[in-house]
Amino acid sequence: MNKVIFSAIGCALLAGCASGARFSSPVTKFAGVSCLAQPDLASATSLDFKKKKKFNELSVPVVETSKCLSTASGNTPFQLFALPGVIENRVFEIGSAVEPLRVFSPDIATLDVSGNVVRRFSKDQFAFRGGVYSVQLRALENEKYILVTTAPEAVGKFFDSIQTSTSTTTVYTGFGASNWTSGVDQNYTRAFSYEGTIIARVIDTTPSEK
C-alpha cells in the first residue's frame, strides 16, 4: 500500500480520520457462504422510501458474510434492490462509497420481473459523484430490480481519484443536471475491493410547484 498518499489536510477532511479510526484495506478474495444460483427476488430491498423527499440514500455494507451469488465469473457478494412502483421523474444512482483506501468494485445490471437481465452498465458509464463511484439511470418500464454484484476483473487494481476530499452537490432541473463542488482537491490512490459499502440514491426530479 505504499502508493497510498495522505496529507494532513486530506486526513482532516476524511470522516473518521480525526478520531483515529482505522481505515479498512482492500479485500481481493471472496470465498462466499451459501451462495445462491440466482437472487431471491422476493427478498429485494425496496427503493420506495416512506419519506418522500427530493433525495433519499441507502447504504449497505459488503463484508465476507454478505449474501453470495454464484456467477460465471465466480462467487460474488450481491445486493438486490426493488424499484418503486412509480418510476416517473425518478433518477436512480447506484454504486459504492469511496473509502480512504478502497472502493467496492461494482457491477450493476437491471432485471425484469422474472429476474432476467435487461441492461448491464459498462465502466465508461461510471463516474465519481459526491464521494460515490456510481452510475445514474432512469428506469425503463420493464425494469423492476437493480442487481449489484462484483466486477472481479477490477478487484485489486489501483485507481487515482481527484476531488475525493471535496463536496459535490448535484442540482437536477428540467433541463438536466449541474454539479457544484467545494472543498480542497487531493489526489489519492485506492484499490477496488470485494468489500466496502454499496450506495443507492433516489432523486425526485419532479418540478417544484410555483
Side-chain angles (χ1 to χ4, degrees):
M1 298 304 295
N2 57 354
K3 292 185 64 179
V4 181
I5 302 173
F6 292 100
S7 69
I9 295 177
C11 184
L13 291 168
L14 289 168
C17 205
S19 60
R22 189 173 182 179
F23 295 153
S24 297
S25 299
V27 175
T28 57
K29 293 183 179 180
F30 180 75
V33 178
S34 302
C35 297
L36 304 175
Q38 56 186 17
D40 179 10
L41 302 181
S43 65
T45 300
S46 176
L47 292 181
D48 190 5
F49 291 89
K50 292 182 178 180
K51 291 185 178 180
K52 305 302 180 184
K53 300 188 295 184
K54 284 290 185 180
F55 180 93
N56 283 286
E57 180 177 295
L58 179 66
S59 62
V60 181
V62 183
V63 297
E64 61 180 352
T65 55
S66 291
K67 294 181 292 184
C68 175
L69 190 67
S70 292
T71 69
S73 301
N75 293 340
T76 172
F78 79 96
Q79 179 64 38
L80 184 67
F81 297 104
L83 291 169
V86 178
I87 58 175
E88 185 178 2
N89 296 323
R90 299 291 187 276
V91 171
F92 300 94
E93 183 179 320
I94 311 295
S96 48
V98 178
E99 300 179 17
L101 300 181
R102 68 183 186 182
V103 58
F104 173 72
S105 178
D107 185 272
I108 296 172
T110 58
L111 311 180
D112 64 16
V113 68
S114 300
N116 300 309
V117 174
V118 178
R119 285 189 287 174
R120 174 164 271 112
F121 296 86
S122 60
K123 290 308 173 188
D124 60 2
Q125 293 175 284
F126 283 77
F128 292 96
R129 300 177 175 92
V132 179
Y133 178 65
S134 64
V135 295
Q136 284 187 341
L137 64 112
R138 289 186 181 272
L140 305 177
E141 287 297 329
N142 62 333
E143 293 176 329
K144 303 301 179 184
Y145 303 94
I146 298 176
L147 176 64
V148 184
T149 56
T150 305
E153 68 278 3
V155 171
K157 293 182 179 180
F158 289 94
F159 70 95
D160 293 325
S161 59
I162 307 297
Q163 297 184 346
T164 52
S165 60
T166 64
S167 174
T168 301
T169 302
T170 302
V171 179
Y172 296 87
T173 69
F175 302 97
S178 61
N179 293 328
W180 178 78
T181 301
S182 62
V184 179
D185 287 351
Q186 298 290 329
N187 188 354
Y188 296 98
T189 302
R190 294 167 168 81
F192 285 107
S193 171
Y194 271 111
E195 296 184 14
T197 304
I198 294 172
I199 301 293
R201 292 170 169 173
V202 181
I203 303 101
D204 183 355
T205 62
T206 304
S208 300
E209 295 182 1
K210 294 183 178 180

